[in-house]
Amino acid sequence: MQEEKLRLEDLLESSNSANDDDRINHVAIIGAGIMGQGIAQTVAGMGLEVTIVEVDSEKLEIAKAQLTESIDREIKRWAMTKSDKKAIFSRIKWATDTNSVKDSEIIIEAVQEDFDLKVSVFKELDRIANPDTIFVSNTSTLSLTKISESISKERSTRVIGMHFLNPVPKIPMVELVKSLHTSNETVLKVKEFASRIGKTPVEVYEYPGFITTRAIVPLINEAMHMLLEGIATAKDIDTALKLGYNFQYGPLEMADSMGLDEVLTWMETLWNTLGEPRYRPNPMIRKLVRERKLGKKTGEGIFKYDEHGNKIN
């Protein structure tokens, strides 16, 4: 009896060790924009090593400065400490060479919402990455199946979507998007990874816009139509929806935070793909994007913002 107990304990210990060995410990991120920075902060904040890649050193320096400023604002609000900041930056490696990510267990693509660009990134990664590496796209509207079919058939089973929402460190969920080729093993491993970095994984069938983008785009579009038609001011529209439906932010400020150019891309993709009027971009967002008034990141969109991204009333 004692011998059977010892054997059982050995098996459990062996199983736990295997699970530990199978866990993702090093993450690579392609793209050091706002989403890439947010994902890097979240992952590094949970104790994992991160390599973040951009096309040149100038963009990397801009990303470092933006991430530093973002965390410093949290420190001033007592939401983080200087020790947290030091720990996060100690786990992030900044690089311009894609080859530096070839040994990562998971690579997250966080470039612009452009199909051809994402495909080119995946093809390059397919060429250099280890055979077992999981490829993740942070796409919000594009087809994971089509993206995965641009690379080798063997690799396509390890392609999955993780649609993070901005600001990544503060949003406690992530959409997991399975393509037609994604294996169950990949889904399980990425679900464990999502939980490990503090996100509740929500499984979504591949469809344009998934859950969150598909739901928020009509709301933003309708709020902009109300503003355009003079029904109320931007401030009052947001106030009514915040207080009336217990939203943290109104849809207009939310659009500014996401980036109006990004929101316009979502609208155009959903409109072209689904052909439903509720996704057709209204004239206001087209005008603002044309004028490069993109929201918080440019200091002006529907609202105006100071240099720290605080809304100016």
Side-chain angles (χ1 to χ4, degrees):
M1 191 73 175
Q2 183 67 23
E3 186 179 345
E4 287 182 5
K5 183 179 178 182
L6 287 171
R7 280 204 304 269
L8 180 58
E9 287 176 350
D10 288 341
L11 284 170
L12 288 171
E13 185 176 348
S14 174
S15 175
N16 288 336
S17 297
N19 288 338
D20 287 342
D21 291 340
D22 198 42
R23 294 176 85 187
I24 292 165
N25 294 303
H26 190 279
V27 180
I29 300 168
I30 309 298
I34 298 301
M35 293 303 296
Q37 293 167 35
I39 297 168
Q41 178 185 333
T42 300
V43 173
M46 290 297 178
L48 283 72
E49 299 297 318
V50 181
T51 299
I52 188 165
V53 179
E54 254 298 351
V55 292
D56 56 51
S57 55
E58 182 181 353
K59 288 190 175 180
L60 276 184
E61 290 304 316
I62 291 171
K64 286 181 191 178
Q66 289 175 336
L67 183 56
T68 297
E69 184 178 355
S70 174
I71 294 177
D72 285 345
R73 283 200 300 271
E74 294 301 299
I75 292 172
K76 287 179 181 177
R77 294 175 56 246
W78 297 89
M80 294 179 70
T81 66
K82 290 182 179 179
S83 296
D84 293 330
K85 176 184 175 181
K86 185 176 180 181
I88 287 168
F89 273 91
S90 71
R91 297 189 189 104
I92 299 176
K93 178 183 176 183
W94 306 82
T96 56
D97 183 6
T98 311
N99 285 291
S100 62
V101 308
K102 63 181 181 181
D103 294 324
S104 300
E105 292 124 324
I106 185 168
I107 303 176
I108 302 173
E109 164 274 306
V111 300
Q112 288 173 287
E113 191 74 348
D114 179 283
F115 179 79
D116 292 334
L117 176 59
K118 289 179 185 292
V119 165
S120 68
V121 169
F122 270 65
K123 284 183 176 179
E124 173 67 10
L125 294 174
D126 188 29
R127 186 181 65 81
I128 64 170
N130 288 336
D132 295 331
T133 300
I134 293 173
F135 288 0
V136 172
S137 176
N138 184 48
T139 182
S140 54
T141 57
L142 301 175
S143 168
L144 262 297
T145 297
K146 288 183 179 179
I147 292 173
S148 68
E149 288 174 348
S150 69
I151 58 177
S152 61
K153 188 175 180 180
E154 297 77 14
R155 177 87 70 181
S156 64
T157 61
R158 289 182 289 278
V159 173
I160 193 169
M162 290 186 80
H163 179 218
F164 293 92
L165 274 67
N166 187 43
V168 180
K170 295 182 180 180
I171 305 296
M173 62 77 65
V174 63
E175 290 177 304
L176 297 190
V177 188
K178 183 178 177 181
S179 83
L180 291 177
H181 309 297
T182 309
S183 68
N184 290 332
E185 180 185 359
T186 298
V187 174
L188 290 172
K189 196 166 185 177
V190 175
K191 281 181 75 173
E192 190 275 335
F193 167 68
S195 298
R196 194 174 167 201
I197 61 171
K199 304 299 180 189
T200 298
V202 177
E203 292 187 57
V204 184
Y205 290 109
E206 179 179 317
Y207 201 80
F210 316 132
I211 296 172
T212 53
T213 304
R214 189 174 174 184
I216 201 63
V217 161
L219 178 60
I220 291 172
N221 220 3
E222 192 60 33
M224 288 184 178
H225 275 300
M226 287 188 280
L227 180 60
L228 192 62
E229 292 164 15
I231 293 173
T233 64
K235 181 180 178 181
D236 285 346
I237 290 169
D238 269 9
T239 299
L241 290 168
K242 279 194 295 184
L243 299 182
Y245 293 102
N246 199 28
F247 293 162
Q248 185 174 2
Y249 301 100
L252 298 176
E253 185 178 356
M254 200 182 300
D256 273 353
S257 298
M258 294 167 174
L260 297 183
D261 53 340
E262 189 76 8
V263 175
L264 178 59
T265 299
W266 298 345
M267 289 179 176
E268 288 176 333
T269 300
L270 291 170
W271 165 240
N272 292 331
T273 306
L274 301 176
E276 297 183 16
R278 64 178 180 268
Y279 300 119
R280 184 172 59 201
N282 66 80
M284 173 171 285
I285 192 168
R286 291 189 184 279
K287 179 176 183 292
L288 289 170
V289 171
R290 191 166 56 246
E291 294 172 351
R292 304 306 295 167
K293 295 176 181 177
L294 307 180
K296 283 189 179 183
K297 60 186 175 183
T298 58
E300 184 176 359
I302 297 168
F303 299 100
K304 291 185 178 181
Y305 303 86
D306 63 23
E307 65 273 18
H308 302 298
N310 298 313
K311 190 170 68 172
I312 301 171
N313 293 321

